[in-house]
Every structure is written in C-alpha cells, then in structure tokens.
Amino acid sequence: MDERKGLLKSVQPTVFFAALFLIAAFVSFATLFNRVARGAFNALQEGIVTNFGWFYVVSVASFLLFVIWLLVSPYGDIRLGPDDSTPDYSYFAWFAMLFSAGMGIGLVFWGIAEPVSHFADQPIPVTYQWQAAQQAMRFTLFHWGLHPWSVYIIVGLSMAYFSFRHNLPLTIRACFYPFLGKRIYGPIGHWVDTFSVVATLFGLATSLGLGVMQVNTGLNYLLGVPVGKLPQVLLIMGITTLAVLSVVTGLDVGVKLLSQFNMGLTLLFLAFVAIFGPTRFLLDLAVQSTGDYLQQLPYLSFKTDAWRDKAWIQSWTIFYWAWWIAWAPFVGTFIARVSRGRTIREFVIGVLLAPTIFTVIWFSFFGGTAIHLEMFQGAGISELVQSDVTVALYETLSRLPLPTLSQALATLLVMTFFVTSSDSGTYVVDTFISGGNPDPPLGQKLLWGFMEGGVAAILVYAGGLKALQTASLTAALPFAVIMILMCINLVRALEIDRSGGIVVPVEDQRTRV
C-alpha cells in the first residue's frame, strides 16, 4: 500500500528531491557567480570536445548504423505493445507530435541561418561560389538529417519497447532491466532518472531562453518591440503559461491539437516560400542536395578533421552531436509515449526517414532561397547573420513578396513551436518525477511547467543562460555512454523476445516506481 501523502504521493521522492536540489544549486551558481560558472563550464566543455570529439563522432555514427540494422532485421516485426495492440494516433497526428517536439523550432531558427553561415564561413575553403553553396547545404543536411533522429530513436524505441511491451515504467531506468533486473527500482535507477530530469529541464530552459530572442527579433520587425532582457522575460512568462495550459488539457487534446496546428502552419509557410521564392531553382536544389548528402554521408559520418584545424568541426558538428544527445532524454521519451502499438520497423521508418525527408525540403527551400539572394542579388544576408543569427529569417522574408504577412506567420510559427516544445518537455519531466506514470497529476504539471519557464527567465535576466547551455552539452558525454548500454540491453531483450522467452517476469512488472 502506498503510504505517501500530499505532493509526495504522486512522485518518486528520491528523484523529486534530488532533481530539485541540483536544479536550485545550479541556477544559484549560474546566477550569483555568472562569470565563474561560465568559465568553469566552458573549460570543461572545451576539454570534453577536444579530447572526446572522436567519441561523439563514433557514437552518433554507430547509433545510425544500429538503427538501420534494426530496420532490416527480423526484430522489425515486434510490436511496441502486446501483439494485438494498435497505434494510439493517426500517422499525421503522430508525425506532427514527434516533429514538433523533436526539432520543429530548430528548423525555423536555423533554416536560413545555418546554410548562410556555412556559405560565408566555408567548412573547407573552395574556389567558386557554387562550390561554397553546395558545401553549405551538404553540411547543414548532415547536421539535421539522419543522425539526430537516430539518436532520438535509440532512447524512444528502448523506452517504448520495455514500457509498452513488458509493463515497465516509462522511464530511462526501464531500459536497463536485462542487465540490472529488479535493481532498476533502486539507487542506480533513481540516479539515471534524476540525471534525465535535470538534463531535460536544463535543455528546455536553454532552448526557451535562446528561442525568445528569435521571437523578440520578430516582434521588433513587426511591431517595433524593443530587443532586451525585459521583453524576453515577459515572452518566456507568456509562452510558459500557454504551454502549461496545453499540458493541463492532456496529451490527446492540447498537445495533439497544437502539434497538428503547428504542422499545418509549417506546411503553409513552406508553400509560401516555394511559390514566392525562386521555385524552379528550389526544386532543382532539393533533388541535387538529396543526392549530394547521401553520396557524402559515409565520409561525413566519420569526419574528425584529423589533419586540419578542428575549430570548425568542434563548433558545429561536435556541438550538434552533443546537443542532440543532451536532448535525447526529452525527445526520446515523448516519442516513446506517442508510439504505442507500432512495430519497430514502422517506428524506425516514421521517426528516421519521414522527418529527414521533410528536413531536406525545408533547408533546400529556405536556405536555398537565402543563398540564391546572396549569389544573384547581393542581398548581404550573410553579413547580418554573422552579427545576429536571429535576423536571418526576417531579412530573407523582407526580400520576398508580402514581407509583413510572411514575417508575422514566421513569428507565430516560432511561438507555437515553443509552446509545443515546452508542453512536451513538461510532460516528460512529470513522467520521470512520477516514476513513469503516463498521466501525471495536475499539481505536478503546474509545478514543473512553471519551473521550466522560471529557470529560463531567471537565467536570461541574470545572464546565466550561456553557462546553462554549456552545462547541458557537458551532460551529453555520460548520456552517450548510457545510450550505448541501452543498445546492448535492447538487443539482449529482443533476442529473448523473438525466441519466445520471458524478458520481464510478471513479479518484476510495474506501472510506477
């Protein structure tokens, strides 16, 4: 019988208090000793990138190979749930939710800024402009294509398999049952879930803090709203409130409907650029960029710049690999939650290929439009991006027809994507804190939803956001090791499952920790 009372009745106490302590300690450190915090975490992150960059490259490339192997293996027919289960959501709703949580806001923010940045600051020096443009698209698609989604699949597939097929809690700890057995319910499991809570909340707070800068820029272009800390804090408060309201209405109402709205708005925005941009060029570019990306994929996957200066690859590729890994507890858990009833093969195709195809089209249309303006009209967007990446989208749209309408649409899309990212993240944190409860209580949703916004607002105002971003990236190194162990445990469980053995005895199955 559960003897916990009040707030503690709905949480796993060890994870709850440990996460609260670590979050409070870090926010206090980053706020009160901002320079010291930034210096310490910058030094730590620089040391990790310098000494373990090769490990990130090998790990992420291996995750992609592992996922492709799962896709074609006999294990692909295994269902994420009982054999007679069916998916909870339609394909459109499923894709809309996983896309909104996974990287929807990132595509809007970097859709123009990254290709233009690579066009101006060439990863590998070339002679002609067309070579610089081709290289810019190649590296952008590499950073946002198959590799990040394979990282999310490792976590999401492992959690969905152990939770929905074997009735273990929907938490990271459940993925280690083949190795730990009942010990997942002890201190080791508590540590893994605490680490996941802190990493998720910090990653979301960082994204929210950095993202409001994009929204602030959009409102400045449209309404003349000043760019500064106070408007950004107010924006965080507003977005957080909307996200909490969305979470409170439940996954099947607020999160699902808002994600579908986002998807529809995204397609409308994409169509606008395709029609009013250099349409024929963009279609040619999408096809050519796909072939160039796939042709260069094996080489890029293991590229470490061993013979060259590592500054570029460390600040871009290694940074991205660390960022995707740091986001994996959040995105992977949310994808797992909305994927019950699908087969492993269906899961991999849906999470790996569909978003990658959309990503190729998105960057080809948006990045291609900006580079086309640079090459043939001397738009000067690259110079502006080098001083402030948040202006890339709005400056490009200002050179197309109906600039005010398109900029308003872009700002609305950024804001709604932030709401969906925030509410999805709040849901994930609540699930971890409640020991895998798929429907956490209302009070807990309110607490962690507003805490996420509060952390972001405090650090934006106090100037500690950069320290938080660096700390989040630092967490990627230990979590990469955790993900490797996830792969090993998943294969062990799948072998037992396919042979008809018992993966998790009934007495070890629980719905909550």
Side-chain angles (χ1 to χ4, degrees), residues 39 55 101 205 240 260 262 304 307 367 388 402 443:
F55 177 72
T240 298
Q260 290 178 311
N262 268 358
T304 62
W307 300 105
D388 183 1
L402 305 174

Side-chain angles (χ1 to χ4, degrees), residues 90-140:
S90 67
Y91 279 115
F92 181 77
W94 181 52
F95 178 75
M97 286 191 284
L98 69 89
F99 182 77
S100 295
M103 58 176 60
I105 184 58
L107 293 187
V108 179
F109 190 95
W110 288 106
I112 291 172
E114 182 167 346
V116 170
S117 295
H118 297 335
F119 179 70
D121 180 19
Q122 301 166 9
I124 302 173
V126 293
T127 304
Y128 301 104
Q129 272 196 327
W130 68 267
Q131 293 173 316
Q134 185 176 37
Q135 182 177 229
M137 294 304 304
R138 179 190 307 152
F139 277 96
T140 300

Side-chain angles (χ1 to χ4, degrees), residues 196-349:
S196 301
V197 168
V198 174
T200 298
L201 191 136
F202 281 174
L204 287 166
T206 303
S207 179
L208 185 59
L210 294 174
V212 295
M213 298 176 187
Q214 175 83 76
V215 178
N216 196 179
T217 298
L219 294 177
N220 177 261
Y221 271 76
L222 293 168
L223 305 172
V225 174
V227 175
K229 290 182 179 180
L230 181 57
Q232 290 166 7
V233 169
L234 294 176
L235 283 169
I236 290 173
M237 293 171 61
I239 291 173
T240 298
T241 301
L242 292 175
V244 170
L245 291 175
S246 175
V247 171
V248 166
T249 59
L251 189 65
D252 294 335
V253 181
V255 179
K256 174 184 173 182
L257 293 179
L258 190 57
S259 296
Q260 290 178 311
F261 173 78
N262 268 358
M263 202 66 233
L265 199 61
T266 300
L267 293 174
L268 178 63
F269 195 30
L270 189 66
F272 174 88
V273 174
I275 293 170
F276 291 104
T279 307
R280 188 177 64 182
F281 168 79
L282 298 181
L283 294 174
D284 285 342
L285 180 63
V287 174
Q288 179 170 306
S289 296
T290 300
D292 184 55
Y293 166 56
L294 294 176
Q295 181 184 29
Q296 295 292 321
L297 188 61
Y299 165 70
L300 294 176
S301 296
F302 295 94
K303 178 180 171 59
T304 62
D305 276 350
W307 300 105
R308 300 177 65 245
D309 179 15
K310 295 179 179 293
W312 189 91
I313 197 170
Q314 289 176 350
S315 60
W316 283 101
T317 303
I318 303 302
F319 173 89
Y320 268 127
W321 285 184
W323 188 248
W324 301 136
I325 292 171
W327 265 62
F330 153 47
V331 181
T333 302
F334 186 77
I335 292 175
R337 175 61 183 84
V338 299
S339 300
R340 184 182 185 277
R342 301 196 181 275
T343 65
I344 289 178
R345 185 169 291 110
E346 188 179 10
F347 181 95
V348 172
I349 292 174

